[in-house]
Amino acid sequence: MLDLALRAAARRAAEPGGILFTERQLYYELCRGLRPWHLAPRRLRFTARPPVRPAAFEAALRRAGDVPGLLPPAPAARRAPGRHTPEPDLFAYGLPRLLLCESDEIAAMLRANGLPMESACPVFGAAELPLDARVAGMLAHAERARVYVLHDASPAGLAFAARAAAEAGVPPGVAVVPIGLRPRQAGALHLPHRTGEEPGAPPPASCDTWEHRWLARGRGVEVAAVRPAALLRTVHRLVRGVRRAPPRAGRRQARASGFLTWPAA
């Protein structure tokens, strides 16, 4: 039964249009299919234990062999900026936006699905920090440049968002904008949570009472728990600054496609 559910999860993770996904994203898609908590009303905030043990998932994945769309593990290594183009004056241009990801695998997934090109937004993982001085200089050259931070809903994720500017070497005057995942957003989407998270620094003042209590229970939710298609659409929308609310008739569909708008962070 688990083997059949895994194959179905792989098909869903790739929709629409053959999206490439990570092993963790496939795991959470399997959990979503077996326990469709995401269909519960958004007004009820809760997360849930995954219905499948990681060891059982890994065994099923080994039995499955090649899984179409599954990305190989992302190497946690720095990439030379500008290696994709012979343009000699590349670093003389301004760079209006850039995305930092706590997860190197999520950064690789976003790149593999073409987000940097579609959103005109380079993507870097935590292992690639600090930024190359030439990339930081491009941010300084741009007017109203922004660095967006994508992180887990966990003490470690919130801490990463807080220190991202210093760790990346973001130039003074460049805005740093955390875009989630926040505990309240994970609760609204009823995503599977991890337990045993180590407490970190006090949560940001913007965390509400529910979030404080949730974090105090040692819980955390990975960005990988968000459906791959929703993650791509939402990140693209946010880094491009598209914030227009959908018409009331289209809100049900909008809730399914984004994790930072419904409910508003």
Side-chain angles (χ1 to χ4, degrees):
M1 178 178 176
L2 193 60
D3 293 357
L4 291 174
L6 179 65
R7 286 195 286 271
R11 290 193 295 270
R12 291 194 305 273
E15 294 172 350
I19 292 173
L20 303 176
F21 50 88
T22 70
E23 186 174 310
R24 293 299 290 171
Q25 288 177 310
L26 178 57
Y27 169 67
Y28 286 118
E29 190 60 48
L30 174 64
C31 294
R32 194 162 18 249
L34 295 174
R35 293 288 187 275
W37 291 116
H38 61 287
L39 300 178
R42 296 288 189 263
R43 66 179 180 275
L44 303 176
R45 272 197 214 175
F46 67 87
T47 57
R49 283 181 176 272
V52 180
R53 291 180 295 106
F57 164 74
E58 290 165 7
L61 189 58
R62 287 193 297 270
R63 292 192 298 270
D66 291 335
V67 176
L70 180 61
L71 291 166
R78 297 181 65 87
R79 300 169 304 125
R83 71 193 187 288
H84 61 288
T85 175
E87 173 59 55
D89 299 324
L90 174 66
F91 298 104
Y93 294 97
L95 181 62
R97 66 188 67 84
L98 182 146
L99 176 65
L100 303 179
C101 299
E102 179 188 5
S103 166
D104 293 295
E105 289 206 342
I106 289 296
M109 177 264 182
L110 295 175
R111 289 193 294 260
N113 285 288
L115 185 127
M117 182 67 69
E118 182 179 356
S119 304
C121 180
V123 178
F124 292 85
E128 299 175 284
L129 303 182
L131 296 171
D132 185 285
R134 295 168 296 176
V135 175
M138 294 174 74
L139 289 167
H141 293 156
E143 186 176 353
R144 295 190 296 276
R146 288 192 165 204
V147 172
Y148 297 93
V149 184
L150 183 65
H151 59 87
D152 291 346
S154 67
L158 294 171
F160 176 79
R163 69 174 188 272
E167 193 167 314
V170 176
V174 174
V176 177
V177 184
I179 59 173
L181 190 63
R182 291 287 298 272
R184 73 184 72 163
Q185 296 155 351
L189 292 180
H190 318 314
L191 299 175
H193 65 238
R194 302 175 301 197
T195 57
E197 295 285 326
E198 292 292 331
S206 57
C207 284
D208 61 24
T209 301
W210 185 91
E211 290 179 297
H212 278 275
R213 291 175 178 170
W214 187 86
L215 290 165
R217 295 188 182 105
R219 293 175 177 173
V221 170
E222 298 178 71
V223 167
V226 178
R227 192 183 297 275
L231 178 64
L232 287 166
R233 285 193 296 265
T234 304
V235 171
H236 172 73
R237 176 176 54 78
L238 288 174
V239 301
R240 295 298 297 181
V242 180
R243 298 181 180 275
R244 182 174 62 86
R248 183 174 297 275
R251 288 187 179 181
R252 183 180 299 275
Q253 181 178 358
R255 287 190 179 99
S257 66
F259 70 94
L260 291 173
T261 299
W262 305 100

